[in-house]
Amino acid sequence: ASVFYCCFVFTITIGLFNVISAIFVESTMAAAMSLESSKRRKRLADTLLWNTRITTLIRRLMDVSPEHSIPGKMSDSIDEIFSVDVPGSVIDLVVKDPVAIAALDDLDIDPEDHKYLSDILDPDNCGSVGVSKFIDGLRRLRGEPRRSDIVTVDLMIRSMQVQIGDIQAKVTALLDDSPWPPDCVE
């Protein structure tokens, strides 16, 4: 009976310590995640970090671009800089530069997105990206994706579907009123 009691006490003790350890580890992990989330929010709200890293990226874009340069201080050429359309090939070169990679990492741009930035920031596939669109696109890419990002895209697609339906109805009405035979219109 005493052997059974010893095994019982041993099992209960080990089980109790496992439960206590699991609770401790869980609370430690939750605190670490909360701390990391807080640091990320502060980093995303840091305007000095944003301004310096964007300046670095714009300077690298202008340095690599054969058609553009910044004479003197960037602040003196701000209108000229914002009028520049940067070719996708220049963006592709810049994102391979170690200084630009460090700036993108500091801005919390996913490293997997670096090599696709020229495509991501050029939604109309024209082959170039304006500096203002480059800056706005990077601002939107910062941090983790949020549910609101997906909902925004969904709402824009629904709006476009309604507009395309309206256009289709108007084209159909125009074709119905057309004086040409139907086989000439297609």
Side-chain angles (χ1 to χ4, degrees):
S2 65
V3 172
F4 176 72
Y5 178 74
C6 287
C7 287
F8 176 75
V9 169
F10 177 76
T11 305
I12 294 299
T13 305
I14 295 298
L16 186 60
F17 282 132
N18 279 340
V19 169
I20 291 170
S21 296
I23 291 170
F24 175 75
V25 168
E26 182 180 354
S27 65
T28 303
M29 294 302 291
M33 288 176 58
S34 174
L35 182 62
E36 179 64 30
S37 178
S38 173
K39 285 181 181 179
R40 186 179 309 118
R41 278 193 307 273
K42 285 180 183 176
R43 200 171 50 243
L44 291 174
D46 186 351
T47 56
L48 180 63
L49 177 73
W50 168 255
N51 292 337
T52 56
R53 297 321 183 265
I54 283 296
T55 300
T56 300
L57 289 168
I58 292 172
R59 189 169 298 283
R60 292 302 304 139
L61 284 172
M62 296 300 137
D63 289 345
V64 172
S65 180
E67 302 91 32
H68 306 97
S69 65
I70 303 171
K73 292 172 49 174
M74 280 182 66
S75 57
D76 294 338
S77 307
I78 200 77
D79 290 333
E80 180 183 326
I81 291 169
F82 271 85
S83 68
V84 170
D85 277 338
V86 181
S89 59
V90 170
I91 295 172
D92 292 338
L93 288 173
V94 168
V95 298
K96 295 176 184 173
D97 178 61
V99 173
I101 291 170
L104 291 169
D105 288 343
D106 288 346
L107 291 174
D108 292 307
I109 306 294
D110 187 348
E112 295 294 318
D113 290 340
H114 291 187
K115 60 185 170 188
Y116 303 110
L117 277 181
S118 61
D119 290 331
I120 293 169
L121 300 176
D122 183 16
D124 58 357
N125 252 356
C126 68
S128 65
V129 178
V131 171
S132 61
K133 288 187 179 184
F134 179 81
I135 293 169
D136 185 51
L138 289 181
R139 182 185 57 80
R140 293 171 186 262
L141 282 173
R142 292 185 77 194
E144 298 295 320
R146 295 171 301 275
R147 182 180 172 145
S148 61
D149 297 332
I150 296 168
V151 170
T152 300
V153 170
D154 182 49
L155 292 174
M156 285 192 296
I157 288 172
R158 289 179 187 208
S159 172
M160 289 173 56
Q161 286 175 327
V162 169
Q163 291 173 353
I164 290 172
D166 292 345
I167 292 171
Q168 182 180 15
K170 290 177 182 176
V171 168
T172 302
L174 286 172
L175 289 176
D176 289 344
D177 295 341
S178 172
W180 297 293
D183 58 341
C184 295
V185 178
E186 296 177 34

